[in-house]
């Protein structure tokens, strides 16, 4: 059974030159890293004004990251797998157990 969720693949030129998929991959990786760094900066912000500025920028970066991801997914350049029901149930059970242990 094929559990891949995909869209029609947009072909890109192969070879040594960068193509649209390569640029999108690079941009997506950069945006993901920037988003992680801004979350860290927010958690270490020394005052509320600085926190708010970091938060605004982080939200903008997060929106851009999502747009790039959706573009790649629409073009078939980013594939995801549908999770098996058993794996979802196991993860749900594990998270519930962790929550219960935190509440004790």
């Amino acid at each position: 059974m094929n559990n891949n969720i995909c869209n029609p693949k947009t072909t890109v030129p192969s070879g040594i030159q960068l193509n649209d998929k390569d640029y999108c991959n690079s941009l997506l990786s950069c945006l993901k890293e920037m988003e992680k760094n801004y979350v860290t900066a927010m958690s270490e912000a020394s005052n509320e004004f600085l926190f708010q500025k970091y938060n605004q920028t982080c939200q903008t970066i997060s929106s851009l990251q999502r747009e790039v991801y959706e573009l790649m997914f629409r073009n078939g350049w980013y594939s995801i797998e549908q999770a098996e029901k058993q794996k979802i149930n196991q993860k749900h059970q594990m998270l519930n157990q962790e929550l219960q242990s935190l509440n004790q």
Side-chain angles (χ1 to χ4, degrees), residues 14-78:
S14 59
I16 196 165
Q17 291 186 325
L18 296 175
N19 56 50
D20 290 344
K21 179 183 175 184
D22 296 328
Y23 287 118
C24 285
N25 263 327
S26 179
L27 179 58
L28 184 62
S29 293
C30 183
L31 289 168
K32 285 180 178 183
E33 192 63 33
M34 287 174 67
E35 188 174 14
K36 284 188 255 181
N37 290 336
Y38 268 96
V39 168
T40 300
M42 285 188 309
S43 71
E44 298 174 356
S46 58
N47 63 57
E48 187 60 27
F49 178 78
L50 187 57
F51 173 82
Q52 291 301 328
K53 288 297 181 184
Y54 286 156
N55 191 28
Q56 290 170 353
T57 305
C58 186
Q59 288 178 10
T60 301
I61 291 168
S62 181
S63 294
L64 290 171
Q65 181 270 333
R66 185 66 188 181
E67 287 180 39
V68 173
Y69 162 79
E70 288 175 353
L71 172 70
M72 293 183 71
F73 184 78
R74 281 193 310 272
N75 284 294
W77 300 336
Y78 200 104

